[in-house]
Amino acid sequence: MIEPKPFVKWFDRKFDTNIDIVQFEDVLSRMEHFPAVLNQLLETYPKKITTIKTGAKWSVNENVGHLILLEDLWRRRFQDIKDGKPDMSPADLNNTATDQASFNEQVLNELTKSLSDERAKTIVLLKGISKEDLLKKSTHPRLNQPMNIVDFMYFVAGHDEHHMAAMRSIIENLEHLPIADF
């Protein structure tokens, strides 16, 4: 029997900040295709499933909404690095905007469309990055470690995958419950 990997809290994760800039295209592809992969995973689930909260954890809709809200921060941080700022823009570590946004009142396919639209803006920004900009670094405020553009892209792609794993876990746990009319 294969044991599942333990779910590591996002704030407990460590990140390699020595990603070779030659990996730019590979990491860009991961980021670019993420909304489509997520949509494919979620497209068949009804609102009854995607809006259920388990304990204090976010629902599927809230996870997607959180990803939408962060795209603006990601773009600001990429721009911070490109502009040579010593520190990246800070995040709201309490995720207040996500908690207050009422994502469970929204339709999931509209949320995934919005995520796709926001990510497309981020991809356009990244495709405009010069080779010189790839060498610049700014310090990530929470991790207190310098990152270049590719390091931070890797961070964002990891954040995407973290939330996809969380959503898969929610769905798998709910599918085993005797909730009528899935």
Side-chain angles (χ1 to χ4, degrees), residues 163-180:
H163 280 278
M164 184 181 289
M167 288 181 258
R168 276 192 177 119
S169 177
I170 292 166
I171 290 166
E172 288 169 3
N173 288 330
L174 291 174
E175 286 180 326
H176 294 96
L177 294 177
I179 300 173

Side-chain angles (χ1 to χ4, degrees), residues 33-66:
H33 292 101
F34 175 75
V37 171
L38 182 64
N39 187 57
Q40 186 176 11
L41 170 70
L42 300 177
E43 68 186 350
T44 62
Y45 293 99
K47 188 173 184 177
K48 184 178 228 178
I49 295 295
T50 66
T51 59
I52 294 175
K53 291 179 70 102
T54 55
K57 299 197 182 285
W58 289 331
S59 67
V60 170
N61 278 31
E62 290 168 322
N63 273 276
V64 176
H66 173 71

Side-chain angles (χ1 to χ4, degrees), residues 2-174:
I2 299 173
E3 291 294 320
K5 289 201 262 185
F7 191 77
V8 178
K9 291 181 182 177
W10 180 250
F11 288 153
D12 293 343
R13 293 191 55 188
K14 304 290 183 224
F15 294 90
D16 183 1
T17 56
N18 292 306
I19 308 298
D20 194 319
I21 61 172
V22 298
Q23 293 186 39
F24 176 84
E25 292 296 331
D26 291 337
V27 183
L28 182 70
S29 180
R30 280 175 59 194
M31 289 179 61
E32 188 170 17
H33 292 101
F34 175 75
V37 171
L38 182 64
N39 187 57
Q40 186 176 11
L41 170 70
L42 300 177
E43 68 186 350
T44 62
Y45 293 99
K47 188 173 184 177
K48 184 178 228 178
I49 295 295
T50 66
T51 59
I52 294 175
K53 291 179 70 102
T54 55
K57 299 197 182 285
W58 289 331
S59 67
V60 170
N61 278 31
E62 290 168 322
N63 273 276
V64 176
H66 173 71
L67 294 172
I68 294 165
L69 293 174
L70 285 178
E71 282 302 309
D72 182 61
L73 175 64
W74 298 157
R75 288 190 294 271
R76 277 187 280 134
R77 287 181 170 181
F78 285 123
Q79 192 66 48
D80 291 343
I81 298 169
K82 182 179 177 189
D83 292 345
K85 291 186 178 178
D87 299 309
M88 292 181 207
S89 298
D92 170 13
L93 298 180
N94 294 319
N95 294 303
T96 306
T98 302
D99 292 333
Q100 295 177 348
S102 302
F103 289 118
N104 285 331
E105 295 173 15
Q106 298 179 36
V107 178
L108 182 62
N109 67 356
E110 292 173 9
L111 290 172
T112 56
K113 168 80 169 86
S114 182
L115 176 60
S116 182
D117 293 346
E118 289 299 314
R119 180 55 60 91
K121 294 176 193 175
T122 305
I123 298 302
V124 167
L125 172 70
L126 290 170
K127 286 183 175 180
I129 296 291
S130 71
K131 290 188 191 257
E132 295 79 28
D133 291 334
L134 291 176
L135 300 174
K136 297 175 183 175
K137 292 187 175 194
S138 292
T139 300
H140 186 284
R142 179 177 59 83
L143 299 173
N144 196 31
Q145 58 189 102
M147 293 181 160
N148 65 30
I149 296 279
V150 180
D151 294 333
F152 192 63
M153 289 169 63
Y154 184 78
F155 176 92
V156 171
H159 185 265
D160 289 345
E161 291 163 2
H162 171 81
H163 280 278
M164 184 181 289
M167 288 181 258
R168 276 192 177 119
S169 177
I170 292 166
I171 290 166
E172 288 169 3
N173 288 330
L174 291 174

